Amino acid sequence: AGMWNRGLMSNFATSTAAILTCGKSDCWQEGLRLVNVMKSQALVSNSIIYDASIGSCGRREEWQLGLGLLESMKHEELRPSIISCNAAISAFAIGRQWQQGVALLDTMPSNDLPPNVISFSA
């Protein structure tokens, strides 16, 4: 978020790249902070940011944060993608929350998101 304050995060593309990079590294919490800054400035407008953030939460066994991001998508009227759902299912599996994963898997077809091989192997 400090980079944002210095004006280096002035556009959506740069912010998205920073979030994706943070999500793949040890600074994943900084990436989540950037998501919150973007949300507060009404800049979050697609699922790519959420996909990356949910995935980074899952890799760190922070399934609760991933679930919160998935819920945020719905509140912002963003349709979760197959990638969002698979990332959340994977986060649930890593966090040993298989019931949550099965519940999400069950809702996917009714949301026009047919599960794929990754969905079933997460």
Side-chain angles (χ1 to χ4, degrees):
M3 291 169 40
W4 189 281
N5 295 334
R6 290 192 300 259
L8 297 176
M9 298 295 169
S10 60
N11 65 48
F12 182 80
T14 304
S15 300
T16 301
I19 290 167
L20 291 170
T21 301
C22 288
K24 293 178 182 176
S25 70
D26 288 337
C27 64
W28 65 278
Q29 291 170 318
E30 185 70 15
L32 292 179
R33 280 191 279 283
L34 283 172
V35 170
N36 287 328
V37 169
M38 291 179 72
K39 284 170 48 176
S40 72
Q41 296 187 4
L43 293 176
V44 176
S45 63
N46 67 39
S47 66
I48 294 170
I49 291 168
Y50 284 99
D51 297 348
S53 298
I54 293 168
S56 71
C57 290
R59 287 188 292 280
R60 274 98 183 157
E61 296 186 30
E62 297 287 347
W63 65 269
Q64 302 95 331
L65 293 174
L67 179 60
L69 290 167
L70 195 62
E71 292 298 321
S72 290
M73 290 180 76
K74 295 173 187 174
H75 292 297
E76 293 180 32
E77 298 182 9
L78 289 174
R79 184 175 181 262
S81 68
I82 190 75
I83 296 169
S84 308
C85 292
N86 288 346
I89 291 168
S90 180
F92 296 141
I94 291 168
R96 294 182 178 94
Q97 300 296 314
W98 63 268
Q99 302 92 336
Q100 295 271 10
V102 170
L104 179 56
L105 193 62
D106 286 343
T107 64
M108 289 172 65
S110 63
N111 291 314
D112 293 326
L113 291 169
N116 61 19
V117 172
I118 295 170
S119 308
F120 290 111
S121 64

